[in-house]
Amino acid sequence: MYQILFVILQTTNNDTYRIMEDKLHTTNLEQIAHFAKAMGHPTRMAILAFLAKQDSCFFGDIHEELPIAKATVSQHLKELKEAA
């Protein structure tokens, strides 16, 4: 875990740092955290794995392939889109 944090800090070395609540933050680190949170859900990872195998995809294809409700697929796609 510390190695990952070190790599992230290296990639943000040129960012402007600001202190907030005694923690070191950068815009880049906040974006990485938001992306990691979106990727941290197993259903979203299943959706991405399914999409990676497709040449094209329609919304209904995801629902037919994965055992989740259409509304749930829609919500997960929204979260993935916002994290991109």
Side-chain angles (χ1 to χ4, degrees):
M1 172 136 149
Y2 293 112
Q3 291 174 333
I4 293 171
L5 181 58
F6 180 73
V7 170
I8 291 170
L9 288 174
Q10 280 183 321
T11 62
T12 61
N13 194 27
N14 294 328
D15 288 349
T16 302
Y17 293 102
R18 60 188 165 88
I19 303 299
M20 177 187 289
E21 301 173 356
D22 297 328
K23 294 180 182 178
L24 191 60
H25 288 272
T26 68
T27 302
N28 194 24
L29 288 176
E30 290 170 4
Q31 290 171 341
I32 291 169
H34 183 71
F35 181 75
K37 183 179 176 185
M39 297 298 108
H41 197 288
T43 301
R44 292 184 196 131
M45 296 305 297
I47 290 170
L48 290 175
F50 171 73
L51 292 174
K53 294 186 263 180
Q54 307 301 311
D55 291 330
S56 64
C57 182
F58 297 98
F59 175 80
D61 295 343
I62 299 169
H63 169 68
E64 289 174 8
E65 179 72 20
L66 302 174
I68 52 180
K70 288 182 181 180
T72 305
V73 171
S74 179
Q75 182 61 35
H76 284 299
L77 289 174
K78 177 184 172 201
E79 292 291 330
L80 290 168
K81 182 178 176 183
E82 288 175 359

